[in-house]
Amino acid sequence: MRVLGIETSCDETSAAVVCGTPEAMSLESLVILSQDVHRLFGGVVPEIASRQHLTGIVPTVDAALREAQVTLDALDAIAVTHAPGLVGALLVGTSYAKALAFTRGIPLVPVHHLEGHLFSTLLEYAHATPPFTALLVSGGHTMLLDVPAWGRYRLLGQTRDDAVGEAFDKVAKLLGLPYPGGRPLEQLAATAEPPVQRHPHRFARPMLRKTAQPGDDDFYDCSFSGLKTAVLHAVRDAEKAGDLDAQRASIARGFQDAVIDTLVEKVARATRQHRRTRVVLGGGVACNQALQQAMRDRLGARGGQVFAPSPRLATDNAAMIGAAGLFRLHRQEFADPSMTATASLPIPGIF
Ligand code: KG4
Ligand code: ZN
């Protein structure tokens, strides 16, 4: 089976060709057109994103087919992200995929963007299969899932306010770093020592009550807005003392350490509670090496395995849509002509 994946939910126009079965898949091509223009605005501007997808979609799909050395005739299906995301951006991908599929008589498979993130690790690690604990951390989502089987997603917890990536981006902005801020913040944090107890940059860990029990809301849920405010106060204090430049790295380190401690503890709780040994990370924040290392240190000690995709597959891309599409194709889940883009929608199979 060979699937063309198309992704346009946010600010990446991407197409990929994925081949094989849900048990053994390989990536034949991947093209990602990143819309750098949003850097000028410090965030994604939806109208600009849609327009850039419009100009980018045809050459991106053509390049993916060329790179895979196949024509449309070689495809068993076209998989496209139909939710969630920016509606105008999603519409470009869904409209294009629909037109291509229906005029060429190729089956069309709608894919949920977050299910795509769960599948992307499989393209690099054949053992990243259920059952596993999944942590999806991106600019728009923070979700902890237990995955007993593909297509069955038990939602354990999520953020109550900012997504982790969003918090990274906002804190990076406070520290004068460019957008998107996750990577530069990680690089800056790596130059500082971890703030010790009582250090002003040893920020309180959000939602880490030691006595929390399974069933309590804060056992798995996260919250990052308080941490963001704590960083804001630290930045203001440093500015008042005329010392911000000297303190920026330490503040970045303090913020990142607090986020990582929180996420690692929540994931450890999930693996313990559901007796999972495998952990799959997904989304742009999964690129964070310090996060990956902390997960491995904590879970590896108990025989756990942590899988994180390489940066190209962790951030938004069409390979993951092709991979999830292959799974949905095997289940014969096709789109009908009424299929459209949806801004928010639960992952299919969530419980
Ligand atoms: O998955 P993604 O490409 O797009 C969304 O669906 O949001 O994730 C982008 C997010 C941004 O917030 C970015 O700052 C963050 O991922 N990010 C990182 C790192 N690399 C990207 N956050 C922390 N550390 C990184 N190394
Ligand atoms: Zn994403």
Side-chain angles (χ1 to χ4, degrees):
M1 293 283 197
R2 182 177 280 111
V3 174
L4 168 69
I6 296 178
E7 155 68 34
T8 64
S9 69
C10 191
D11 58 344
E12 254 85 37
T13 315
S14 181
V17 178
V18 177
C19 186
T21 63
E23 289 74 37
M25 45 178 90
S26 65
L27 183 59
E28 294 190 323
S29 70
L30 172 59
V31 177
I32 305 174
L33 199 64
S34 289
Q35 303 179 356
D36 282 347
V37 61
H38 303 288
R39 288 169 193 264
L40 296 175
F41 305 98
V44 178
V45 183
E47 176 66 20
I48 296 178
S50 308
R51 285 166 190 263
Q52 294 236 331
H53 285 308
L54 266 182
T55 51
I57 186 84
V58 175
T60 300
V61 168
D62 284 352
L65 291 172
R66 218 170 30 246
E67 196 180 300
Q69 300 186 337
V70 295
T71 61
L72 289 171
D73 298 331
L75 300 176
D76 295 292
I78 297 174
V80 65
T81 311
H82 72 118
L86 303 169
V87 164
L90 285 165
L91 271 172
V92 176
T94 54
S95 306
Y96 180 78
K98 246 186 188 178
L100 199 58
F102 295 142
T103 53
R104 303 295 291 247
I106 307 169
L108 181 63
V109 177
V111 171
H112 192 284
H113 180 83
L114 295 180
E115 184 169 51
H117 275 301
L118 292 173
F119 271 88
S120 66
T121 315
L122 197 55
L123 290 164
E124 292 176 307
Y125 303 96
H127 300 302
T129 51
F132 58 71
T133 300
L135 178 70
L136 293 182
V137 274
S138 71
H141 299 275
T142 302
M143 251 186 205
L144 184 63
L145 299 161
D146 180 61
V147 182
W150 288 125
R152 298 196 60 225
Y153 309 114
R154 182 187 285 119
L155 177 63
L156 300 177
Q158 48 195 332
T159 181
R160 298 200 179 164
D161 37 61
D162 290 2
V164 186
E166 193 182 352
F168 264 95
D169 293 339
K170 287 178 179 166
V171 165
K173 192 171 178 187
L174 288 174
L175 294 172
L177 299 170
Y179 172 87
R183 191 151 180 270
L185 194 146
E186 178 181 10
Q187 287 167 338
L188 181 63
T191 65
E193 292 298 319
V196 289
Q197 292 293 354
R198 286 182 221 262
H199 189 288
H201 303 154
R202 165 99 192 170
F203 303 115
R205 274 56 180 146
M207 311 271 278
L208 272 195
R209 198 165 50 93
K210 287 237 160 38
T211 52
Q213 296 295 320
D216 293 347
D217 279 356
D218 60 348
F219 191 68
Y220 289 129
D221 275 356
C222 309
S223 158
F224 298 103
S225 70
L227 177 60
K228 200 178 57 191
T229 308
V231 170
L232 175 66
H233 288 305
V235 169
R236 286 202 181 135
D237 289 348
E239 270 170 349
K240 262 189 231 143
D243 199 27
L244 181 58
D245 267 350
Q247 294 191 34
R248 280 166 69 241
S250 168
I251 296 173
R253 179 68 192 248
F255 164 77
Q256 184 176 271
D257 284 2
V259 170
I260 290 175
D261 274 2
T262 307
L263 295 177
V264 168
E265 173 62 23
K266 303 279 160 166
V267 168
R269 287 177 183 178
T271 56
R272 224 172 27 238
Q273 181 80 3
H274 295 279
R275 297 178 201 283
R276 305 298 184 210
T277 53
R278 288 189 286 274
V279 170
V280 167
L281 306 179
V285 184
C287 298
N288 191 292
Q289 295 296 315
L291 173 67
Q292 288 185 22
Q293 193 54 49
M295 289 279 178
R296 294 202 167 100
D297 289 348
R298 174 76 175 271
L299 301 158
R302 291 195 286 117
Q305 272 182 300
V306 178
F307 298 97
S310 56
R312 207 167 144 73
L313 292 177
T315 51
D316 289 350
N317 69 84
M320 66 187 202
I321 303 306
L326 203 60
F327 166 71
R328 294 284 164 192
L329 169 65
H330 264 249
R331 290 194 164 192
Q332 309 250 312
E333 293 179 9
F334 302 115
D336 62 36
S338 67
M339 187 270 280
T340 189
T342 311
S344 86
L345 189 78
I347 309 181
I350 202 154
F351 62 101

